[in-house]
Amino acid sequence: MESADQFKAVQPLQYYKRFLDQNIRPDGRRLQEARTTTVNVNFCTHANGSAMVRIGNTTVCCGVKAEITTPSVTQPNDGIIVPNVDLPPLCSSAIQSGPPTDYAQTSTKLIDDILVSSNLIEKKDLCIVPSKYVWVLYCDIVCLDLDGNLIDASLLIKLPVVSVNEKTGKLEYDHAKTTSLTLRDEPIATTFAAFDSDAIIMDPTLEEENLCNGSFTITLNKEDDICSLFKPGGTELDNQKLQNCLKHCKRRVNSVRSLMQNAVSS
Amino acid sequence: MPTDTKRLPVPETSICPSTLIEDISAKKLPLISNNKRRDDRLCTQLRHVYAKLKVISQAQGSAYIEIGNTKVICSVYGPREVKKRDEFSMDGQLCCDFKFATFSCPQRRSHLSDNEEKELSQQLLNALSPAVCLNKFPKARVEIFALVLENDGSAFSAAINCASLALVDASIELYDIPVAACVRYDGVNLIVDPQLNEEYSHQESNLSEENGQVLVAYLPVLKQISALNHVGCLSSKVLNQSMKLCIEATQKMHTIFQECIKEKVKSIMD
């Protein structure tokens, strides 16, 4: 047992490859198996909507706050959605306090892109009085425990959150009438990590993310169409492998979708 | 106006809808009616406390605490080596960071620390440092991060409790476990563990009246007070009384935390 630990410490990549050759991962998962996922909605009473998602050890929580603002001159009928991914120094020893890290910034941008491309929330729905008042939704995502696969967890969060977060009320007269916002779509992301020995694994942990030489994230919408594919460099992929991943991705998305429905309805 | 170039642009101003709805009914309601508080508690009754150690896998030590609806998570990293240091010292260094999550309060908070958060970080440091054996880790630093996920009153005392549990979880040597509690005085009654609509605020208070809030961080085994924070205006008699109530409350909490720590030790032994 001790020698296995030593081998892992000295040559972590070799250690992983031995496992991957046997179609299994050191934590006992199959290559295309995700970690246990739990979804919890509305944990915070001060937010208009909130959710907490755990994938294995990775914990992310998100609160959405709706406020009133004036729209931009060019798009007077459009509401504004501002996502932000925050990686506080609380969540990992690798992060120091200070301005957001590059990783947090790319994550924020990716989530913003997915929100736009999936048309999750129709911006026209957020309009109160054209060119005067619109809603702005601040979607703040805070990572509490960084153990790989941040994006997947972050995206999961969006959904249950926004389903309960709209309040109508005009600036002068205040109706406290609450209507929930219609969601046009359900984007769900799955991240894969590729090791060069042709092994592609789903839902990598932090350790696996650090060792692998390329990861990519596929986001599927309600109709199982791809609404975002994010692959920042890394090893090359051929079409065959990608199709294969897509198949696994669809399976994963279905299980996640039922999880979320359970969480929202309970 | 400083702009945050590392985050997506936000609208310059936005108004929280709850500020528009004048919530007179809740504010005018007396703190106590028929010996019961707004949430049906007695004056000295604490809210339900739930505490859990080891919640963050990446941290040396971490804790999560729920007091009623107030939720705080805290992690401890270290002792880590300090690379740059102005002065040599044989004592270790504590470093505290207290933050409200942007969605934790009725009003949205900024991503950057505001003055209140900076002040509370300093107070957290002052409350914890008398309890930590700093001489055990010379030339190193222990970092404590507290994040309030939901603020429903007494968030700062919850943060002190959470931070001391996280220190225990990180196996940092302590002289004692600091436990904090809060008491509010509204001119007539002393109430323990105030929730958000019972907390003292400068806007509402009338300076001619006696009105205030006291927070005590207590070391229950050493029977010493590590921090005392007081806002508002109180006579010395009331201050004494409220300190006594705070200490009683911390002793109740201390037994809960002891159970929590015992459970953790048991799980390690098994």
Side-chain angles (χ1 to χ4, degrees):
Chain A
M1 190 58 212
E2 208 173 274
S3 61
D5 283 345
Q6 280 165 3
F7 181 40
K8 189 185 173 185
V10 179
Q11 290 202 303
L13 194 58
Q14 292 299 327
Y15 174 83
Y16 258 89
K17 280 188 178 158
R18 291 266 180 94
F19 276 97
L20 296 180
D21 288 342
Q22 308 286 326
N23 275 332
I24 195 116
R25 283 147 82 169
D27 56 4
R29 283 190 285 159
R30 317 283 307 174
L31 295 194
Q32 302 296 346
E33 194 180 323
R35 289 169 287 177
T36 0
T37 309
T38 52
V39 183
N40 195 342
V41 287
N42 274 339
F43 69 92
C44 180
T45 48
H46 294 311
N48 296 88
S50 56
M52 187 178 281
V53 172
R54 288 186 74 108
I55 299 181
N57 276 331
T58 305
T59 313
V60 186
C61 71
C62 174
V64 177
K65 264 184 152 347
E67 294 193 346
I68 302 162
T69 188
T70 43
S72 66
V73 183
T74 47
Q75 288 146 321
N77 294 321
D78 285 6
I80 302 162
I81 306 165
V82 191
N84 182 61
V85 178
D86 194 15
L87 293 171
L90 170 110
C91 71
S92 166
S93 55
I95 295 166
Q96 307 288 322
S97 27
T101 57
D102 292 349
Y103 185 41
Q105 288 178 52
T106 45
S107 307
T108 305
K109 188 76 191 97
L110 178 58
I111 293 215
D112 189 36
D113 287 346
I114 293 171
L115 279 179
V116 171
S117 67
S118 71
N119 202 16
L120 175 67
I121 298 165
E122 178 66 54
K123 288 191 173 169
K124 302 263 182 300
D125 291 355
L126 297 173
C127 182
I128 306 169
V129 181
S131 72
K132 242 180 163 178
Y133 302 121
V134 291
W135 289 105
V136 52
L137 297 182
Y138 296 104
C139 309
D140 294 309
I141 301 165
V142 185
C143 176
L144 297 180
D145 194 350
L146 181 65
D147 192 7
N149 211 347
L150 172 73
I151 296 293
D152 295 14
S154 309
L155 252 196
L156 282 185
I157 252 160
K158 274 288 144 54
L159 277 154
V161 164
V162 207
S163 63
V164 274
N165 77 36
E166 184 78 337
K167 217 178 176 191
T168 46
K170 287 186 185 168
L171 225 51
E172 296 86 0
Y173 343 91
D174 316 306
H175 319 287
K177 198 175 103 201
T178 322
T179 52
S180 69
L181 192 60
T182 16
L183 292 175
R184 308 281 162 130
D185 210 336
E186 314 185 323
I188 295 167
T190 318
T191 294
F192 295 89
F195 286 83
D196 51 10
S197 57
D198 293 333
I200 295 179
I201 55 172
M202 187 196 263
D203 187 17
T205 62
L206 184 63
E207 202 176 57
E208 288 163 346
E209 266 179 9
N210 290 340
L211 285 173
C212 76
N213 46 11
S215 71
F216 57 100
T217 307
I218 305 176
T219 315
L220 297 185
N221 67 8
K222 205 159 52 181
E223 278 90 35
D224 277 351
D225 293 330
I226 300 173
C227 61
S228 154
L229 201 156
F230 180 66
K231 185 177 176 302
T235 183
E236 80 284 354
L237 270 176
D238 60 29
N239 198 12
Q240 181 60 41
K241 279 184 208 157
L242 205 60
Q243 292 301 331
N244 211 358
C245 287
L246 207 58
K247 215 166 62 196
H248 289 296
C249 185
K250 281 180 183 161
R251 182 174 50 83
R252 163 83 176 146
V253 164
N254 279 329
S255 70
V256 170
R257 210 165 268 162
S258 63
L259 257 177
M260 289 201 300
Q261 266 151 13
N262 282 343
V264 175
S265 59
S266 67
Chain B
M1 175 141 176
T3 47
D4 193 350
T5 52
K6 305 243 170 180
R7 292 186 177 92
L8 292 176
V10 294
E12 270 179 31
T13 50
S14 60
I15 310 158
C16 180
S18 63
T19 53
L20 301 170
I21 306 162
E22 280 175 45
D23 198 5
I24 314 160
S25 53
K27 276 178 187 162
K28 287 276 166 68
L29 219 65
L31 281 182
I32 305 241
S33 60
N34 294 334
N35 283 330
K36 286 274 172 75
R37 287 153 71 171
R38 287 173 187 171
D39 58 348
D40 278 349
R41 276 187 292 159
L42 299 171
C43 286
T44 53
Q45 197 179 348
L46 298 174
R47 287 174 288 177
H48 284 292
V49 179
Y50 170 79
K52 194 169 184 250
L53 296 179
K54 195 84 213 147
V55 285
I56 298 177
S57 62
Q58 303 292 308
Q60 253 89 352
S62 56
Y64 170 78
I65 196 166
E66 242 181 78
I67 301 180
N69 269 333
T70 301
K71 302 181 181 76
V72 183
I73 191 165
C74 184
S75 68
V76 169
Y77 290 95
R80 293 203 268 220
E81 190 195 352
V82 188
K83 294 221 172 73
K84 261 193 196 166
R85 194 161 174 183
D86 306 336
E87 258 175 60
F88 176 79
S89 155
M90 280 309 283
D91 276 349
Q93 217 178 17
L94 269 188
C95 208
C96 290
D97 184 42
F98 177 86
K99 184 97 191 72
F100 283 108
T102 48
F103 47 82
S104 65
C105 301
Q107 282 282 338
R108 184 174 184 270
R109 291 209 167 240
S110 145
H111 290 288
L112 306 167
S113 289
D114 56 17
N115 288 341
E116 187 192 356
E117 284 164 340
K118 280 178 190 153
E119 191 196 325
L120 290 176
S121 301
Q122 191 57 39
Q123 283 185 25
L124 183 61
L125 176 70
N126 293 342
L128 294 175
S129 49
V132 183
C133 308
L134 290 172
N135 56 333
K136 295 284 183 182
F137 46 96
K139 293 186 273 179
R141 177 194 288 161
V142 169
E143 284 168 337
I144 302 165
F145 301 103
L147 178 73
V148 178
L149 294 176
E150 187 177 352
N151 176 13
D152 193 20
S154 315
F156 184 59
S157 61
I160 294 178
N161 295 333
C162 195
S164 45
L165 284 177
L167 281 171
V168 172
D169 187 41
S171 312
I172 306 282
E173 287 177 70
L174 302 174
Y175 296 111
D176 197 354
I177 304 166
V179 187
C182 218
V183 164
R184 160 83 200 271
Y185 183 67
D186 69 337
V188 193
N189 297 294
L190 282 163
I191 49 175
V192 178
D193 188 21
Q195 54 175 3
L196 195 61
N197 59 17
E198 295 171 331
E199 276 198 322
Y200 172 83
S201 75
H202 291 291
Q203 291 91 26
E204 281 173 51
S205 72
N206 186 349
L207 282 174
S208 59
E209 279 174 50
E210 241 188 279
N211 194 342
Q213 189 161 314
V214 177
L215 179 138
V216 172
Y218 190 63
L219 308 175
V221 178
L222 297 174
K223 296 197 167 47
Q224 286 173 351
I225 289 174
S226 71
L228 172 71
N229 178 25
H230 159 236
V231 283
C233 165
L234 294 177
S235 69
S236 60
K237 193 183 137 215
V238 178
L239 184 65
N240 265 334
Q241 260 180 327
S242 41
M243 274 169 64
K244 212 178 278 170
L245 274 177
C246 273
I247 289 168
E248 272 170 36
T250 56
Q251 275 157 345
K252 280 183 209 158
M253 294 242 211
H254 187 233
T255 47
I256 299 172
F257 296 157
Q258 274 176 323
E259 282 304 311
C260 184
I261 294 163
K262 238 190 258 171
E263 239 167 68
K264 191 225 163 190
V265 174
K266 251 186 214 160
S267 70
I268 294 172
M269 304 283 259
D270 291 342

